Coordinates of all heavy atoms in Angstrom, one line a residue:
M1 N 12.0 -28.4 20.3 CA 13.4 -28.1 20.2 C 13.7 -27.1 19.1 O 14.4 -26.1 19.3 CB 14.2 -29.4 19.9 CG 15.7 -29.2 19.8 SD 16.3 -28.7 21.5 CE 18.0 -28.7 21.2
L2 N 13.0 -27.3 18.0 CA 13.1 -26.3 16.8 C 12.6 -24.9 17.2 O 13.2 -23.9 16.9 CB 12.4 -26.9 15.6 CG 12.5 -26.0 14.4 CD1 14.0 -25.9 13.9 CD2 11.7 -26.6 13.2
R3 N 11.5 -24.9 18.0 CA 11.0 -23.7 18.4 C 12.0 -22.9 19.4 O 12.1 -21.7 19.3 CB 9.7 -23.9 19.1 CG 8.9 -22.7 19.5 CD 7.6 -23.0 20.1 NE 7.0 -21.7 20.5 CZ 5.7 -21.6 20.8 NH1 5.0 -22.7 20.9 NH2 5.2 -20.4 21.1
L4 N 12.6 -23.7 20.2 CA 13.6 -23.1 21.1 C 14.8 -22.5 20.4 O 15.2 -21.4 20.7 CB 14.1 -24.1 22.1 CG 15.1 -23.7 23.1 CD1 14.6 -22.5 24.0 CD2 15.6 -24.8 24.0
L5 N 15.2 -23.2 19.3 CA 16.3 -22.7 18.5 C 15.9 -21.4 17.8 O 16.7 -20.5 17.6 CB 16.8 -23.7 17.5 CG 17.5 -24.9 18.1 CD1 17.8 -26.0 17.0 CD2 18.8 -24.5 18.7
K6 N 14.7 -21.3 17.3 CA 14.2 -20.1 16.6 C 14.2 -18.9 17.6 O 14.6 -17.8 17.3 CB 12.8 -20.3 16.1 CG 12.8 -21.2 14.8 CD 11.3 -21.4 14.3 CE 11.3 -22.3 13.1 NZ 9.9 -22.5 12.6
I7 N 13.7 -19.2 18.8 CA 13.7 -18.1 19.8 C 15.1 -17.6 20.2 O 15.3 -16.4 20.2 CB 12.9 -18.6 21.1 CG1 11.4 -18.8 20.8 CG2 13.1 -17.6 22.2 CD1 10.7 -19.5 21.9
I8 N 16.0 -18.6 20.3 CA 17.4 -18.2 20.6 C 18.0 -17.4 19.5 O 18.7 -16.4 19.7 CB 18.2 -19.4 20.9 CG1 17.8 -20.0 22.3 CG2 19.7 -19.1 21.0 CD1 18.4 -21.4 22.6
A9 N 17.7 -17.8 18.2 CA 18.2 -17.1 17.1 C 17.7 -15.7 17.0 O 18.4 -14.7 16.7 CB 17.9 -17.9 15.8
I10 N 16.4 -15.5 17.3 CA 15.8 -14.2 17.2 C 16.4 -13.3 18.3 O 16.7 -12.1 18.1 CB 14.2 -14.3 17.4 CG1 13.6 -14.9 16.1 CG2 13.6 -12.9 17.7 CD1 12.2 -15.2 16.2
I11 N 16.5 -13.8 19.5 CA 17.1 -13.0 20.6 C 18.5 -12.6 20.3 O 19.0 -11.5 20.5 CB 17.1 -13.9 21.9 CG1 15.6 -14.0 22.4 CG2 18.0 -13.2 23.0 CD1 15.4 -14.9 23.6
T12 N 19.3 -13.5 19.7 CA 20.7 -13.2 19.3 C 20.7 -12.1 18.3 O 21.5 -11.2 18.3 CB 21.4 -14.5 18.7 OG1 21.3 -15.5 19.7 CG2 22.8 -14.2 18.3
L13 N 19.8 -12.2 17.3 CA 19.7 -11.1 16.3 C 19.4 -9.8 16.9 O 19.9 -8.7 16.5 CB 18.7 -11.5 15.2 CG 19.2 -12.6 14.2 CD1 18.1 -13.0 13.3 CD2 20.4 -12.1 13.4
L14 N 18.4 -9.8 17.8 CA 18.0 -8.5 18.4 C 19.0 -7.9 19.3 O 19.2 -6.7 19.3 CB 16.7 -8.7 19.2 CG 15.4 -9.0 18.3 CD1 14.2 -9.3 19.2 CD2 15.1 -7.9 17.4
N15 N 19.8 -8.7 19.9 CA 20.9 -8.2 20.8 C 22.0 -7.6 19.9 O 22.7 -6.8 20.4 CB 21.4 -9.3 21.7 CG 20.5 -9.6 22.8 OD1 19.8 -8.8 23.2 ND2 20.7 -10.8 23.3
G16 N 22.1 -8.1 18.7 CA 23.2 -7.5 17.8 C 22.8 -6.2 17.2 O 23.7 -5.5 16.7
C17 N 21.6 -5.8 17.3 CA 21.2 -4.5 16.7 C 21.5 -3.4 17.7 O 21.3 -3.5 18.9 CB 19.7 -4.4 16.5 SG 19.2 -5.6 15.2
A18 N 22.1 -2.3 17.2 CA 22.5 -1.2 18.1 C 21.2 -0.3 18.5 O 20.3 -0.2 17.6 CB 23.5 -0.3 17.4
D19 N 21.2 0.2 19.6 CA 20.2 1.1 20.1 C 20.4 2.4 19.3 O 21.6 2.9 19.2 CB 20.3 1.3 21.6 CG 19.3 2.3 22.2 OD1 18.4 2.7 21.4 OD2 19.4 2.5 23.4
V20 N 19.4 3.1 18.8 CA 19.5 4.3 18.1 C 20.0 5.5 18.9 O 20.4 6.5 18.4 CB 18.2 4.7 17.4 CG1 17.9 3.7 16.3 CG2 17.1 4.9 18.3
T21 N 20.0 5.3 20.2 CA 20.6 6.3 21.1 C 22.0 6.1 21.5 O 22.6 6.9 22.3 CB 19.7 6.4 22.4 OG1 19.7 5.2 23.1 CG2 18.3 6.8 22.1
T22 N 22.6 5.1 20.9 CA 24.0 4.8 21.2 C 24.9 6.0 20.8 O 24.8 6.5 19.7 CB 24.5 3.6 20.5 OG1 23.7 2.5 20.9 CG2 26.0 3.3 20.7
Q23 N 25.8 6.4 21.7 CA 26.7 7.5 21.4 C 27.8 7.1 20.4 O 28.3 6.1 20.5 CB 27.3 8.0 22.7 CG 26.4 8.6 23.7 CD 25.8 9.9 23.3 OE1 26.5 10.8 22.8 NE2 24.5 10.1 23.4
Q24 N 28.0 8.0 19.4 CA 29.1 7.8 18.5 C 30.3 8.5 18.9 O 30.3 9.8 19.0 CB 28.7 8.3 17.1 CG 28.1 7.3 16.2 CD 28.0 7.9 14.8 OE1 28.7 7.5 13.9 NE2 27.1 8.9 14.6
S25 N 31.4 7.9 19.2 CA 32.6 8.5 19.6 C 33.2 9.5 18.6 O 33.8 10.5 18.9 CB 33.7 7.5 20.1 OG 34.0 6.7 19.0
S26 N 32.9 9.2 17.3 CA 33.5 10.1 16.2 C 32.9 11.5 16.3 O 33.5 12.4 15.7 CB 33.2 9.4 14.9 OG 31.9 9.3 14.6
L27 N 31.7 11.6 16.9 CA 31.1 13.0 17.0 C 31.8 13.8 18.1 O 31.6 15.0 18.1 CB 29.6 12.9 17.2 CG 28.8 12.3 16.1 CD1 27.4 12.1 16.5 CD2 28.9 13.2 14.8
G28 N 32.4 13.2 19.0 CA 33.1 13.9 20.1 C 32.1 14.8 20.9 O 31.0 14.4 21.2
E29 N 32.5 16.0 21.1 CA 31.7 16.9 21.9 C 30.4 17.3 21.2 O 29.5 17.9 21.8 CB 32.5 18.2 22.2 CG 33.0 19.0 21.0 CD 34.0 20.1 21.3 OE1 33.8 20.8 22.3 OE2 35.0 20.2 20.6
Y30 N 30.3 17.1 19.9 CA 29.1 17.5 19.1 C 28.0 16.5 19.3 O 26.9 16.7 18.9 CB 29.5 17.7 17.6 CG 30.5 18.7 17.4 CD1 31.9 18.4 17.3 CD2 30.2 20.1 17.5 CE1 32.8 19.4 17.1 CE2 31.2 21.1 17.3 CZ 32.5 20.7 17.2 OH 33.4 21.7 17.0
G31 N 28.3 15.3 19.8 CA 27.3 14.3 20.0 C 26.2 14.7 20.9 O 25.1 14.2 20.8
Q32 N 26.4 15.6 21.8 CA 25.4 16.1 22.7 C 24.2 16.7 22.0 O 23.1 16.8 22.6 CB 26.0 17.1 23.7 CG 26.5 18.4 23.1 CD 27.1 19.3 24.1 OE1 26.6 19.5 25.2 NE2 28.3 19.9 23.7
F33 N 24.3 17.1 20.8 CA 23.3 17.8 20.1 C 22.4 16.8 19.2 O 21.4 17.2 18.7 CB 23.8 18.8 19.2 CG 24.6 19.9 19.9 CD1 25.9 19.9 20.0 CD2 23.9 20.9 20.6 CE1 26.6 20.8 20.8 CE2 24.5 21.9 21.3 CZ 25.9 21.8 21.4
F34 N 22.8 15.5 19.2 CA 22.1 14.6 18.3 C 21.5 13.5 19.2 O 22.2 12.7 19.8 CB 23.0 14.0 17.3 CG 23.6 15.0 16.4 CD1 24.9 15.5 16.6 CD2 22.9 15.5 15.3 CE1 25.4 16.5 15.7 CE2 23.4 16.4 14.4 CZ 24.7 16.9 14.7
E35 N 20.1 13.4 19.2 CA 19.5 12.4 20.0 C 19.7 11.0 19.4 O 20.0 10.1 20.2 CB 18.0 12.7 20.0 CG 17.2 11.7 20.8 CD 15.7 12.1 20.9 OE1 15.3 13.2 20.5 OE2 14.9 11.2 21.2
K36 N 19.5 10.8 18.1 CA 19.7 9.5 17.5 C 20.9 9.5 16.6 O 20.9 10.0 15.5 CB 18.5 9.1 16.7 CG 17.2 9.0 17.5 CD 16.0 8.7 16.6 CE 14.8 8.7 17.5 NZ 13.6 8.5 16.7
Q37 N 22.0 9.0 17.1 CA 23.3 9.0 16.4 C 23.6 7.8 15.6 O 24.4 7.8 14.7 CB 24.4 9.2 17.4 CG 24.3 10.5 18.2 CD 25.4 10.7 19.2 OE1 26.4 10.0 19.2 NE2 25.1 11.6 20.2
T38 N 22.9 6.7 16.0 CA 23.2 5.4 15.3 C 21.9 4.8 14.8 O 20.9 4.8 15.5 CB 23.9 4.4 16.3 OG1 25.0 5.1 16.9 CG2 24.3 3.2 15.7
R39 N 22.0 4.3 13.6 CA 20.9 3.5 13.0 C 20.9 2.1 13.5 O 21.9 1.7 14.1 CB 20.9 3.6 11.5 CG 20.8 5.0 10.9 CD 20.8 4.9 9.4 NE 22.1 4.6 9.0 CZ 22.4 4.2 7.7 NH1 21.5 4.2 6.8 NH2 23.6 3.9 7.4
L40 N 19.9 1.3 13.1 CA 19.9 -0.1 13.4 C 21.1 -0.7 12.8 O 21.6 -0.3 11.8 CB 18.6 -0.7 12.9 CG 17.3 -0.3 13.6 CD1 16.1 -1.0 13.0 CD2 17.4 -0.6 15.1
Y41 N 21.6 -1.8 13.4 CA 22.8 -2.5 12.9 C 24.0 -1.7 13.1 O 25.1 -2.1 12.5 CB 22.6 -3.0 11.5 CG 21.3 -3.7 11.2 CD1 20.3 -3.2 10.4 CD2 21.1 -4.9 11.9 CE1 19.1 -3.8 10.2 CE2 19.9 -5.6 11.7 CZ 18.9 -5.0 10.9 OH 17.7 -5.7 10.7
G42 N 24.0 -0.6 13.9 CA 25.2 0.1 14.3 C 25.8 1.1 13.3 O 26.8 1.7 13.6
S43 N 25.2 1.3 12.1 CA 25.8 2.3 11.2 C 25.4 3.7 11.6 O 24.3 3.9 12.2 CB 25.3 2.0 9.8 OG 23.9 2.0 9.7
P44 N 26.2 4.6 11.3 CA 26.0 6.0 11.8 C 24.8 6.7 11.2 O 24.5 6.5 10.0 CB 27.3 6.8 11.5 CG 27.9 6.0 10.4 CD 27.5 4.5 10.6
A45 N 24.1 7.5 11.9 CA 23.0 8.3 11.4 C 23.4 9.7 11.1 O 22.7 10.4 10.4 CB 21.8 8.3 12.4
V46 N 24.6 10.1 11.7 CA 25.1 11.4 11.5 C 26.6 11.3 11.5 O 27.2 10.6 12.3 CB 24.5 12.4 12.5 CG1 24.9 12.0 13.9 CG2 25.1 13.8 12.3
E47 N 27.3 12.1 10.7 CA 28.7 12.2 10.7 C 29.2 13.6 10.4 O 28.5 14.3 9.7 CB 29.3 11.3 9.6 CG 29.1 9.8 9.8 CD 29.7 9.0 8.7 OE1 30.4 9.5 7.8 OE2 29.5 7.8 8.7
I48 N 30.3 14.0 10.9 CA 30.9 15.2 10.6 C 31.7 15.0 9.3 O 32.6 14.2 9.3 CB 31.8 15.7 11.7 CG1 31.0 16.0 13.0 CG2 32.6 17.0 11.3 CD1 31.8 16.3 14.2
V49 N 31.4 15.8 8.3 CA 32.1 15.6 7.0 C 33.4 16.4 7.0 O 34.4 15.9 6.6 CB 31.2 16.1 5.8 CG1 31.9 16.0 4.5 CG2 29.9 15.3 5.8
S50 N 33.3 17.6 7.5 CA 34.5 18.5 7.6 C 34.3 19.5 8.7 O 33.2 19.8 9.0 CB 34.8 19.2 6.2 OG 33.8 20.1 6.0
K51 N 35.5 19.9 9.2 CA 35.4 20.9 10.3 C 36.7 21.7 10.2 O 37.8 21.2 10.2 CB 35.3 20.1 11.6 CG 35.3 21.0 12.9 CD 35.1 20.1 14.1 CE 36.3 19.2 14.4 NZ 36.3 18.6 15.7
T52 N 36.5 23.0 10.2 CA 37.6 24.0 10.3 C 37.1 25.1 11.2 O 36.0 25.1 11.6 CB 37.9 24.7 8.9 OG1 36.8 25.5 8.6 CG2 38.1 23.6 7.8
P53 N 38.0 26.0 11.6 CA 37.6 27.1 12.5 C 36.5 28.0 11.9 O 35.7 28.6 12.7 CB 38.9 27.9 12.8 CG 40.0 26.9 12.6 CD 39.5 26.0 11.5
K54 N 36.4 28.0 10.6 CA 35.4 28.8 9.9 C 34.2 28.1 9.4 O 33.3 28.7 8.8 CB 36.1 29.6 8.8 CG 37.1 30.6 9.3 CD 37.7 31.3 8.2 CE 38.8 32.3 8.6 NZ 39.3 33.1 7.5
S55 N 34.1 26.8 9.5 CA 33.0 26.1 8.9 C 32.9 24.6 9.5 O 33.8 24.1 10.2 CB 33.1 25.9 7.4 OG 34.2 25.1 7.1
I56 N 31.7 24.1 9.3 CA 31.5 22.7 9.7 C 30.4 22.1 8.8 O 29.5 22.8 8.4 CB 31.1 22.5 11.2 CG1 31.1 21.1 11.6 CG2 29.8 23.2 11.5 CD1 31.2 20.8 13.1
S57 N 30.5 20.9 8.4 CA 29.6 20.2 7.6 C 29.2 18.9 8.2 O 30.0 18.1 8.7 CB 30.2 20.0 6.2 OG 30.6 21.2 5.6
F58 N 27.9 18.5 8.0 CA 27.4 17.3 8.5 C 26.7 16.5 7.4 O 26.1 17.1 6.5 CB 26.3 17.5 9.6 CG 26.9 18.2 10.8 CD1 26.7 19.5 11.0 CD2 27.5 17.4 11.8 CE1 27.2 20.2 12.1 CE2 28.0 18.1 13.0 CZ 27.8 19.4 13.1
W59 N 26.7 15.2 7.5 CA 26.0 14.2 6.7 C 25.1 13.5 7.6 O 25.5 13.1 8.7 CB 27.0 13.3 6.0 CG 26.4 12.0 5.4 CD1 26.2 11.8 4.1 CD2 26.0 10.8 6.1 NE1 25.7 10.6 3.9 CE2 25.5 9.9 5.1 CE3 26.0 10.4 7.4 CZ2 25.1 8.7 5.4 CZ3 25.5 9.1 7.7 CH2 25.1 8.3 6.7
F60 N 23.8 13.4 7.3 CA 22.9 12.7 8.2 C 21.7 12.1 7.5 O 21.3 12.6 6.4 CB 22.4 13.6 9.4 CG 21.7 14.9 8.9 CD1 20.3 14.9 8.8 CD2 22.4 16.1 8.8 CE1 19.7 16.1 8.4 CE2 21.8 17.2 8.4 CZ 20.4 17.3 8.2
K61 N 21.1 11.1 8.1 CA 19.9 10.4 7.6 C 18.7 11.2 8.2 O 18.6 11.3 9.4 CB 19.8 9.0 8.1 CG 20.9 8.1 7.6 CD 20.7 7.8 6.1 CE 19.6 6.8 5.9 NZ 19.3 6.4 4.5
Q62 N 17.9 11.6 7.3 CA 16.7 12.5 7.7 C 15.7 11.8 8.6 O 15.0 12.4 9.4 CB 16.0 13.0 6.5 CG 16.8 13.8 5.6 CD 16.2 14.0 4.2 OE1 15.1 13.5 3.9 NE2 17.0 14.7 3.3
V63 N 15.7 10.4 8.5 CA 14.7 9.7 9.4 C 15.1 9.8 10.8 O 14.3 9.7 11.7 CB 14.7 8.2 8.9 CG1 13.9 7.4 9.8 CG2 14.2 8.1 7.5
Y64 N 16.4 9.9 11.1 CA 16.9 9.8 12.5 C 17.4 11.2 13.0 O 17.3 11.4 14.2 CB 18.1 8.9 12.5 CG 17.8 7.5 12.2 CD1 18.0 7.0 10.9 CD2 17.2 6.6 13.1 CE1 17.7 5.7 10.6 CE2 16.9 5.3 12.8 CZ 17.2 4.9 11.5 OH 16.8 3.6 11.2
V65 N 17.8 12.1 12.2 CA 18.4 13.4 12.6 C 17.7 14.5 11.9 O 17.3 14.5 10.8 CB 19.9 13.4 12.2 CG1 20.5 14.7 12.6 CG2 20.6 12.3 12.9
K66 N 17.4 15.6 12.7 CA 16.8 16.8 12.2 C 17.8 17.8 11.9 O 18.9 17.9 12.5 CB 15.8 17.3 13.3 CG 14.7 16.4 13.7 CD 13.9 16.9 14.9 CE 13.0 15.9 15.4 NZ 12.4 16.3 16.7
L67 N 17.4 18.7 10.9 CA 18.3 19.8 10.5 C 18.6 20.7 11.7 O 19.7 21.2 11.9 CB 17.8 20.6 9.4 CG 18.6 21.8 8.9 CD1 20.0 21.4 8.5 CD2 17.8 22.5 7.8
S68 N 17.6 20.8 12.6 CA 17.8 21.7 13.8 C 18.9 21.2 14.7 O 19.6 22.0 15.3 CB 16.4 21.8 14.5 OG 16.0 20.6 15.0
E69 N 19.0 19.9 14.8 CA 20.1 19.3 15.6 C 21.5 19.6 15.0 O 22.4 20.0 15.7 CB 19.9 17.8 15.7 CG 18.7 17.3 16.5 CD 18.5 15.8 16.5 OE1 18.3 15.3 15.4 OE2 18.5 15.2 17.6
A70 N 21.6 19.5 13.7 CA 22.8 19.9 13.0 C 23.1 21.4 13.2 O 24.3 21.8 13.4 CB 22.8 19.5 11.6
T71 N 22.1 22.2 13.1 CA 22.2 23.6 13.3 C 22.7 24.0 14.7 O 23.6 24.8 14.8 CB 20.9 24.3 13.0 OG1 20.5 24.0 11.6 CG2 21.0 25.8 13.1
N72 N 22.2 23.3 15.7 CA 22.6 23.5 17.1 C 24.1 23.1 17.3 O 24.8 23.9 17.9 CB 21.7 22.8 18.1 CG 20.3 23.4 18.1 OD1 20.1 24.5 17.8 ND2 19.4 22.6 18.6
A73 N 24.5 22.0 16.7 CA 25.9 21.6 16.8 C 26.8 22.6 16.0 O 27.9 22.9 16.5 CB 26.0 20.2 16.2
A74 N 26.3 23.1 14.9 CA 27.1 24.1 14.1 C 27.2 25.4 14.9 O 28.3 26.0 15.0 CB 26.5 24.3 12.8
Q75 N 26.2 25.8 15.6 CA 26.2 27.0 16.4 C 27.2 26.8 17.5 O 28.0 27.8 17.8 CB 24.8 27.4 16.9 CG 24.7 28.7 17.6 CD 25.2 29.9 16.8 OE1 24.7 30.0 15.6 NE2 26.0 30.7 17.3
Y76 N 27.2 25.7 18.2 CA 28.1 25.4 19.2 C 29.6 25.5 18.7 O 30.4 26.1 19.4 CB 27.9 24.0 19.8 CG 28.9 23.5 20.8 CD1 28.8 23.9 22.1 CD2 29.9 22.6 20.4 CE1 29.8 23.4 23.0 CE2 30.8 22.1 21.3 CZ 30.8 22.5 22.6 OH 31.7 22.1 23.5
H77 N 29.8 25.0 17.5 CA 31.1 25.0 16.9 C 31.6 26.5 16.7 O 32.7 26.9 17.0 CB 31.1 24.2 15.6 CG 32.4 24.3 14.8 ND1 33.6 23.7 15.2 CD2 32.7 25.0 13.7 CE1 34.5 24.0 14.3 NE2 34.0 24.8 13.4
C78 N 30.7 27.2 16.1 CA 31.0 28.6 15.7 C 31.1 29.5 16.9 O 31.9 30.5 16.9 CB 30.0 29.2 14.8 SG 30.0 28.4 13.1
N79 N 30.4 29.2 18.0 CA 30.4 30.0 19.2 C 31.8 30.0 19.8 O 32.2 30.9 20.5 CB 29.4 29.5 20.2 CG 28.0 30.1 20.0 OD1 27.9 31.1 19.3 ND2 27.1 29.5 20.7
K80 N 32.6 29.0 19.6 CA 33.9 28.9 20.1 C 34.8 30.0 19.6 O 35.8 30.4 20.3 CB 34.6 27.6 19.7 CG 34.0 26.4 20.3 CD 34.7 25.1 19.8 CE 34.0 23.9 20.4 NZ 34.7 22.7 19.9
N81 N 34.5 30.6 18.5 CA 35.2 31.7 17.9 C 34.4 33.0 17.9 O 34.7 33.9 17.1 CB 35.7 31.4 16.5 CG 36.6 30.2 16.4 OD1 37.6 30.2 17.2 ND2 36.4 29.3 15.5
G82 N 33.4 33.0 18.7 CA 32.5 34.2 18.8 C 31.7 34.5 17.5 O 31.5 35.7 17.3
R83 N 31.4 33.5 16.8 CA 30.6 33.7 15.5 C 29.3 33.0 15.6 O 29.1 32.2 16.4 CB 31.5 33.3 14.3 CG 32.8 34.0 14.2 CD 33.6 33.5 13.1 NE 34.9 34.2 13.1 CZ 35.4 34.6 11.9 NH1 34.8 34.4 10.8 NH2 36.6 35.3 12.0
D84 N 28.5 33.3 14.5 CA 27.2 32.6 14.4 C 27.3 31.6 13.2 O 27.9 31.9 12.2 CB 26.1 33.6 14.2 CG 25.8 34.4 15.4 OD1 25.8 33.8 16.5 OD2 25.5 35.6 15.3
A85 N 26.6 30.5 13.3 CA 26.5 29.5 12.3 C 25.5 29.9 11.3 O 24.3 30.3 11.6 CB 26.2 28.1 12.8
V86 N 25.8 29.9 10.0 CA 24.9 30.2 8.9 C 24.9 29.0 7.9 O 25.9 28.6 7.4 CB 25.4 31.5 8.1 CG1 24.4 31.8 7.0 CG2 25.4 32.7 9.1
L87 N 23.7 28.5 7.7 CA 23.5 27.4 6.7 C 23.7 28.0 5.3 O 23.0 28.8 4.9 CB 22.1 26.8 6.9 CG 21.8 25.7 5.9 CD1 22.7 24.5 6.2 CD2 20.3 25.3 6.1
I88 N 24.8 27.5 4.7 CA 25.2 27.9 3.4 C 24.5 27.1 2.3 O 24.1 27.5 1.3 CB 26.7 28.0 3.2 CG1 27.3 28.9 4.2 CG2 27.1 28.3 1.8 CD1 26.9 30.4 4.1
K89 N 24.6 25.8 2.5 CA 24.1 24.8 1.5 C 23.5 23.6 2.1 O 24.1 23.1 3.1 CB 25.2 24.5 0.6 CG 24.9 23.7 -0.7 CD 26.1 23.5 -1.5 CE 25.7 22.7 -2.8 NZ 27.0 22.5 -3.6
E90 N 22.4 23.1 1.6 CA 21.8 21.9 2.0 C 21.5 21.0 0.8 O 20.8 21.4 -0.1 CB 20.5 22.3 2.8 CG 19.8 21.1 3.5 CD 18.5 21.6 4.2 OE1 18.2 22.8 4.1 OE2 17.9 20.8 4.8
E91 N 22.1 19.8 0.8 CA 22.0 18.9 -0.3 C 21.2 17.7 0.1 O 21.4 17.2 1.2 CB 23.3 18.4 -0.8 CG 24.2 19.5 -1.5 CD 25.5 18.9 -1.9 OE1 25.5 17.8 -2.5 OE2 26.5 19.6 -1.7
Y92 N 20.2 17.3 -0.7 CA 19.5 16.0 -0.5 C 19.9 15.0 -1.4 O 19.9 15.2 -2.6 CB 18.0 16.3 -0.6 CG 17.5 17.3 0.3 CD1 17.2 18.6 -0.1 CD2 17.2 17.0 1.6 CE1 16.7 19.6 0.8 CE2 16.7 18.0 2.5 CZ 16.5 19.3 2.1 OH 16.0 20.2 3.0
L93 N 20.3 13.8 -0.9 CA 20.7 12.7 -1.7 C 19.8 11.5 -1.5 O 19.5 11.1 -0.4 CB 22.1 12.3 -1.3 CG 23.2 13.4 -1.3 CD1 24.4 12.9 -0.6 CD2 23.4 13.9 -2.7
N94 N 19.2 11.0 -2.6 CA 18.3 9.9 -2.6 C 17.1 10.0 -1.6 O 16.6 9.1 -1.1 CB 19.1 8.6 -2.2 CG 20.2 8.3 -3.1 OD1 20.1 8.6 -4.3 ND2 21.3 7.7 -2.6
N95 N 16.7 11.2 -1.4 CA 15.5 11.6 -0.6 C 15.7 11.0 0.8 O 14.7 10.8 1.5 CB 14.2 11.0 -1.2 CG 13.9 11.8 -2.5 OD1 14.2 13.0 -2.6 ND2 13.4 11.0 -3.5
A96 N 16.9 10.7 1.3 CA 17.0 10.1 2.6 C 18.2 10.7 3.4 O 18.2 10.6 4.6 CB 17.2 8.6 2.5
V97 N 19.2 11.2 2.6 CA 20.4 11.7 3.3 C 20.5 13.2 3.0 O 20.2 13.6 1.9 CB 21.7 11.0 2.7 CG1 22.9 11.6 3.2 CG2 21.6 9.5 3.0
T98 N 20.9 13.9 4.0 CA 21.1 15.4 3.8 C 22.6 15.7 4.1 O 23.2 15.1 5.1 CB 20.2 16.2 4.8 OG1 18.9 15.9 4.5 CG2 20.5 17.7 4.7
K99 N 23.2 16.6 3.4 CA 24.5 17.2 3.7 C 24.2 18.6 4.0 O 23.6 19.3 3.1 CB 25.5 17.0 2.5 CG 26.1 15.6 2.4 CD 27.2 15.6 1.4 CE 27.8 14.2 1.3 NZ 28.8 14.2 0.3
A100 N 24.6 19.1 5.1 CA 24.4 20.5 5.5 C 25.8 21.1 5.7 O 26.6 20.6 6.5 CB 23.6 20.5 6.8
Y101 N 26.0 22.3 5.1 CA 27.2 23.0 5.2 C 27.0 24.3 5.9 O 26.1 25.1 5.5 CB 27.8 23.3 3.7 CG 28.0 22.1 2.9 CD1 27.0 21.5 2.1 CD2 29.2 21.5 2.9 CE1 27.2 20.4 1.4 CE2 29.5 20.3 2.2 CZ 28.5 19.8 1.4 OH 28.7 18.7 0.6
F102 N 27.7 24.6 6.9 CA 27.6 25.8 7.7 C 28.9 26.6 7.7 O 30.0 26.0 7.8 CB 27.2 25.4 9.2 CG 25.9 24.7 9.4 CD1 25.9 23.4 9.3 CD2 24.8 25.5 9.6 CE1 24.7 22.7 9.5 CE2 23.6 24.8 9.8 CZ 23.5 23.4 9.8
E103 N 28.8 27.9 7.6 CA 29.9 28.8 7.8 C 29.7 29.6 9.1 O 28.6 29.9 9.5 CB 30.0 29.7 6.6 CG 30.6 29.1 5.4 CD 30.9 30.0 4.2 OE1 30.7 31.3 4.5 OE2 31.2 29.6 3.2
C104 N 30.8 29.9 9.7 CA 30.8 30.7 10.9 C 31.1 32.2 10.5 O 32.1 32.5 9.9 CB 31.9 30.3 11.8 SG 31.8 28.6 12.3
K105 N 30.1 33.0 10.7 CA 30.1 34.4 10.3 C 29.9 35.3 11.5 O 29.3 35.0 12.4 CB 29.1 34.7 9.2 CG 29.4 33.9 8.0 CD 28.6 34.4 6.8 CE 29.0 33.6 5.6 NZ 28.8 34.3 4.4

């Protein structure tokens, strides 16, 4: 009986974990550029920090998201105004999180 309860508890815990490919609605149309949008336990792996017609910035976990994915999303954003995305600043926080700032030029 105890063994059965342990198995049920493990299955319940595993079902509660989010798949890393789960789409994040907060990314909207930019979600198409990020393969892994959600970390285990459902917390975001990538977020849009700011967005204007002339710039876009992303925060992302390096383990799950590549800079090239953020660059592709930024290029998509800038293409709407006939411009190219240029990486202006890249910040590393705690060796695990990156903030990438792009301007449309």
